[in-house]
Amino acid sequence: MKEEKNATSEYIKAIIQERGLKQNAVAYKAGYSKQMFNYMLNNHRGIKDIDVLRIADALGVTPNELFGITTPEQK
């Protein structure tokens, strides 16, 4: 069965790519193994509230940015 795309994981991947980062480095900084982080980004494991906070901190963005929400000053 094909997994449906998750908007949050797509935003996370886009931020990682825009910043020229490696997923492994972000995973490590957020406190995940590369396999667990990969599972989250590929929708094999759900992204929980605490995950959003940890990933946002590792990327240096707000949690809202991981949901694709920007404020007028960010545009």
Side-chain angles (χ1 to χ4, degrees), residues 35-60:
Q35 183 177 15
M36 181 58 70
F37 195 61
N38 188 33
Y39 283 165
M40 287 189 279
L41 294 184
N42 291 299
N43 305 312
H44 298 290
R45 177 192 179 275
I47 298 174
K48 300 175 184 172
D49 297 344
I50 190 66
D51 299 324
V52 169
L53 297 174
R54 290 169 67 178
I55 296 167
D57 186 53
L59 290 171

Side-chain angles (χ1 to χ4, degrees), residues 1-60:
M1 184 167 122
K2 186 177 178 184
E3 296 287 328
E4 288 192 34
K5 291 190 176 194
N6 175 299
T8 304
S9 63
E10 294 302 312
Y11 283 117
I12 293 168
K13 287 186 223 178
I15 293 168
I16 291 170
Q17 184 175 12
E18 286 170 7
R19 294 176 177 220
L21 302 171
K22 300 284 186 192
Q23 284 186 8
N24 293 346
V26 176
Y28 177 77
K29 191 170 182 183
Y32 299 106
S33 69
K34 66 180 184 177
Q35 183 177 15
M36 181 58 70
F37 195 61
N38 188 33
Y39 283 165
M40 287 189 279
L41 294 184
N42 291 299
N43 305 312
H44 298 290
R45 177 192 179 275
I47 298 174
K48 300 175 184 172
D49 297 344
I50 190 66
D51 299 324
V52 169
L53 297 174
R54 290 169 67 178
I55 296 167
D57 186 53
L59 290 171

